Amino acid sequence: MSEHESYDPKSIEQKWQERWEADNLYRAKVDWSKPKHYALTMLPYPSGDLHIGHWFAMTPSDARARFKRMQGCNVMFPMGFDAFGLPAENAAVQRNIHPAKWTYANIERMRKQLRSMGAMFDWQREAVSCDPAYYKWTEWFFKVFYQNDLAYRSEALVNWSPTLQTVLANEQVIDGKDERTGQPVVQKLMTQWFFRYTRYIDELLNFDKIDWPEPIRIMQENWIGRSEGARVRFKIADAGVRYAAAISSTALHEGEGTGVSVDREIEVYTTRPDTLWGATFMVLAPEHALVEMLTTPEQAQSVADYKAAVARKTELERISDDKEKTGVFTGGYAVNPVSGARIPVWIADYVLITYGTGAIMAVPSGDQRDFDFARKYGLEIIPVVQPDDQPVLDGATMTEAWDGAGTMVNSGILNGLRCNGEKGRRNPSIAAAIQHIEQMGVGKEAVNYRLRDWLISRQRYWGSPIPIIYTADGTLETVPDERLPVVLPDDVEFIPSGRSPLTYHEPFLNTVDSQGRPAKRETDTMDTFMCSSWYHLRYLSPKYDAAPFDPEEAAYWLPVDTYTGGAEHATMHLLYTRWFNKASRDVGVFDDAMKIAAAHGRNPEEMFDEPMLQLRNQGQILGEERDGDVILATGRYDGEKLFADYVEVIDRTTMEAVRAEKQQAIVGEIVKRTERVLTVDVNGALRTVEVIDGATVVVPTIPGENNVNQLKHHLEIQRMSKSKGNVVNPDELVSMYGADAVRAYLMFGFDWSKGGPWNRKQIQGVVRWLNDVWEMCTTAPPTGTGDAAAEREIERSVQAAIARVSEGLETFSFNTPVAGLMSLRNDLRAAIRDNKLSADAWRSALRDMLLLMAPLTPHIAEELWLRMGFEYSIHLQTFPVYDADKARSEMTQLVIMKNGKPVGHIDVPVDISEADAQAAALASEIAKRFLNGSTPKKVVYVAGRNGMEPKVNIVV
RNA sequence: GGGGCAGUGGUGAAAUGGCAGCCACGAAGGUCUUAAAAACCUUUGCUCGUGAGAGCGUGUGGGUUCGAGUCCCACCUGCCCCACCA
């Protein structure tokens, strides 16, 4: 037995991590002589511990970055921390730790954990968003946007979270609840800071310049929510006479977009101007500016009551009212501009002040919500689209709205026109309606968006301050550049008042304006998405102090070539950062970088329109599966063990009842199944059931005959969380198997884009692989002279592995590179075992194998590389290039198909011609068997490409 | 209600329109061992068959094609996003 050292990851991994760092092996420096590759992975929030999900996101990205580097690119792969945010502040209140202390302690811990990945992070480019040297520039960006009219302060109905004691952006509110804590959010009129997100809508809808996943593109499009239709103005009936008093007593703001026009009109937005003749009433949002003016004295009380009731409701309650529509009549009327009908104006909370003009024309025959409302309150219904092949609609007897295709009726000049059910001008009835209302001068074609401006102010302490000063006379001033950053005071007191400590910190609060007069500071801080919108720029030069980034670095590295991270950021970070980039470009942030880039021959016009060219999303690692089928098993006992001839899956809730009834049976949950042996949990006691051959298995949820394999021993996969106790700790895995094994397993065991439930068992295969590789590379070289054919075979195996690893890494398919390397391991082991390789062939194959492994498992590759006598470092070597000549074999199998189904194959030379292949196939015994001398109808030849066998399909 | 993604062995999963299930895990049998673990060898999609072999197979039903897991249509199931959006 040969004595040799076995693979011990602990003894090599830390050693190499330290050596690489000491040697600055991964330092990324501008080098115009080499092509650059900026690989970026989403930075973590320093919550305290690195999660297996971070490993899943980062280590495959690292493998790809390493691969690009070995292919000759100058690669930058930075890392940092998104360090502002509420959890730090909550920790401060709950545990009396300063947010900075809590955050930096976590960062310290996570840095160590990140280092244990063995990733090629360039730590000299690390950026931490709560560092004053970083947020100085976050403040600077705000200021530049403000000075260029891209930031503004305005009163608006905003999402206020009573739990978090701050406002939130729309993106952070889901189903009327705060996306982080799930607590309800209320609508509140407040003065807040916004960015002009909507100014860039058209550009944000254009994805031509970026290679991003379709689902992300679609989510962003839906989030922006472009819709085509028309704005139509409805005159208020009797406005001049009846409401003169109300108008004069109300401070009405007039102008476009406010829903109030100088002519005392109500403006609505509709996607269906063709149904205008069917508008039998109007509905205003309760908060609409015209409500007071429209309300008659008789209705005043009920309108006031309704408005008060709506104001009390949270957004959540407004949504979850079982879709039962409520509303009240204002007493006021408007005039349908096309039919001239006098129609009542209602208020209802199903109309949102935040969308369109906050007012709608209600067409009950064409919109189900309007229909429900009309039926409930006895309002008129006039059908305007007559569906084909159906009885003539009658407003009095209709049971639901019709929003499909049909013929226009009861619609004046539109009568008889076709409504094809499509949106916008593609629909003839809509096109005609738009033309009509524009001619009449009562409305015009319009595009509406769901997207609203980005609300960036937060009433919290732990965020980047907003560099604004309020002078004594109430005007705004920006803090001069030389006094940036406005630094968060350290000596703050956290009391559970809910208020930001900045609001009662006198030294922070009190300052002077540009004239030296007393003034107050803005106490709101910025949304943390502001910090993460430009962190990829700070990585370029995290210590640079003359600008947010060094233009020399930007000119070379930008834009980000590959961005990886979770898809959950689709409508938040990934949209914000695109806006931020476009806004920055337009205010000249990139001007210097553009000049430098142009001087080096790059086209600056194409560099700064989008921040990240290619985006790929990884899936999520879920908790391990649990909960199996509950079964009833009967049969013959042998001691404690049951040999079952009958197994039925039963409902969990009936388990106790069935157990009481069938005392001889085993009734319980399957906690484990190994082929036909079940381990069943019967009230905590584990029983063994062997399902015998020919047993009856009944699984009600699976129709047809069932077999033992359909019994599930675990179900219900869940997200990992501390409360569920299903968290997989990467540190433990690393200490058990080593970082290389964890890296390789995460790449091998999952579809990276999908993720999936954790499975502790499968890692064994990767551990075996690394052990085998270790053994092959540390055993003495073979002494035989080698077998030429076997050596050729190994050469082909190496080429196949090169192809699989290269292609997999290029396309973010991390499973196949590992599989390819395992195959190579299998082939090599067999050849070595049979002593078929000469020392040269052996060494050459192992050399390539280690190079292929280097991006995936960097430590073991480096260690074995040096042990085999190659030069440090493997990570500075060139990646093997696929060689089609070496990969080609002399003979191949020609697949013979009958009507497209493979029926056999014959050996042929790999360079066989089409004619020869067809002739050989037709002459083969296989073809003769089914042809029986007859002539085939058709013969199709498929050439063998990329290692695939050639085929001849014979159609009979 | 709108939009998206996915459905392949016992499990994780592969598969440029061209031999479905590469590579692993698990399992069964065997070797070694006092025994176990580890390691090694064989088998392993399902059904029938002692066997050679035959038939069936990528959620369901249609379609396109010489040929469909892959493309198109409809449906079922699961997950995700959005949602009184006018």
Side-chain angles (χ1 to χ4, degrees), chain A residues 348-366:
Chain A
D349 66 358
Y350 81 89
V351 175
L352 308 177
I353 189 66
T354 49
Y355 185 78
T357 62
I360 62 160
M361 63 176 209
V363 183
S365 62

Side-chain angles (χ1 to χ4, degrees), chain A residues 639-861:
Chain A
E640 278 290 282
K641 191 171 175 180
L642 176 72
F643 289 86
D645 55 15
Y646 181 85
V647 179
E648 181 186 352
V649 175
I650 61 168
D651 193 301
R652 192 169 288 269
T653 58
T654 66
M655 183 166 68
E656 289 305 327
V658 174
R659 194 175 282 156
E661 188 191 332
K662 311 232 174 185
Q663 309 233 333
Q664 287 301 303
I666 286 181
V667 180
E669 178 182 332
I670 305 177
V671 293
K672 192 181 166 205
R673 182 176 71 74
T674 49
E675 299 294 294
R676 44 203 325 128
V677 179
L678 313 175
T679 306
V680 181
D681 178 342
V682 182
N683 272 341
L686 296 184
R687 305 288 302 272
T688 304
V689 176
E690 181 158 344
V691 183
I692 63 167
D693 262 357
T696 305
V697 177
V698 182
V699 185
T701 51
I702 305 173
E705 280 204 354
N706 302 124
N707 63 45
V708 65
N709 292 335
Q710 288 163 326
L711 296 171
K712 294 281 185 195
H713 69 277
H714 47 48
L715 296 167
E716 276 192 28
I717 310 136
Q718 295 179 315
R719 287 188 181 189
M720 288 186 194
S721 73
K722 280 181 185 158
S723 60
K724 287 180 199 131
N726 61 351
V727 174
V728 174
N729 182 342
D731 294 353
E732 279 172 27
L733 291 169
V734 170
S735 71
M736 254 191 292
Y737 305 109
D740 283 335
V742 176
R743 289 170 61 102
Y745 176 54
L746 289 168
M747 295 179 221
F748 178 65
F750 302 86
D751 175 341
W752 188 71
S753 64
K754 236 168 62 180
W758 180 255
N759 182 335
R760 75 186 74 216
K761 282 181 189 162
Q762 303 250 37
I763 197 169
Q764 250 341 299
V766 168
V767 171
R768 284 182 191 136
W769 167 53
L770 294 178
N771 280 327
D772 290 347
V773 169
W774 182 272
E775 191 179 313
M776 276 194 280
C777 294
T778 54
T779 312
T783 49
T785 48
D787 174 282
E791 288 182 354
R792 265 298 282 136
E793 209 50 56
I794 285 298
E795 197 169 44
R796 279 195 283 273
S797 296
V798 168
Q799 291 303 320
I802 292 171
R804 266 187 110 173
V805 174
S806 307
E807 195 187 320
L809 288 177
E810 183 60 43
T811 61
F812 299 85
S813 310
F814 298 102
N815 168 299
T816 45
V818 183
L821 284 162
M822 286 178 173
S823 274
L824 180 59
R825 174 264 320 253
N826 293 343
D827 295 345
L828 271 167
R829 282 190 93 195
I832 291 169
R833 185 190 56 203
D834 299 342
N835 201 22
K836 292 272 181 67
L837 299 183
S838 67
D840 282 351
W842 170 85
R843 189 174 167 82
S844 159
L846 291 185
R847 180 180 192 275
D848 282 340
M849 182 181 74
L850 290 176
L851 289 169
L852 294 177
M853 286 174 69
L856 312 174
T857 53
H859 312 89
I860 190 175

